[in-house]
Amino acid sequence: MRSTRATAAVERLKERSGNDGYAMVRNADESFYLVDHSGAAPVKLCERMALDEFVAFVKAYGPQTPRRQTKSDIAFEKQLIKK
């Protein structure tokens, strides 16, 4: 099933936002769109998109988690700034 990436992206969005009302709709022509069911009536959040476009949209939608950095990552970035 090709929609596994899209499903995983929607699940990550639910975790990031705390809203379990987000859902993915898959059409017969293999296009996807995002719906919010948290209100009284479902709200369509985007137009139909291909799989890759949909996954990119869902990743960018909603609150973002900060990138984890190790001490060595921070030190490396400081060295890049110095040069």
Side-chain angles (χ1 to χ4, degrees):
M1 177 182 251
R2 285 188 43 116
S3 63
T4 304
R5 282 188 1 184
T7 304
V10 172
E11 290 301 319
R12 287 190 302 272
L13 174 62
K14 288 180 182 180
E15 289 176 16
R16 283 193 324 256
S17 66
N19 181 1
D20 288 335
Y22 290 120
M24 169 190 77
V25 178
R26 180 179 174 195
N27 298 307
D29 63 348
E30 296 295 322
S31 61
F32 301 87
Y33 62 91
L34 186 65
V35 177
D36 186 2
H37 288 286
S38 60
V43 177
K44 188 175 178 182
L45 300 174
C46 66
E47 296 301 317
R48 292 179 171 191
M49 299 179 190
L51 177 65
D52 294 331
E53 294 170 0
F54 178 76
V55 171
F57 172 79
V58 172
K59 283 183 181 178
Y61 191 81
Q64 301 297 312
T65 55
R67 194 180 106 210
R68 295 190 318 177
Q69 291 184 326
T70 64
K71 290 179 183 178
S72 59
D73 289 337
I74 294 168
F76 179 70
E77 287 181 5
K78 286 182 181 178
Q79 286 180 353
L80 288 177
I81 293 171
K82 288 179 185 178
K83 294 182 180 184

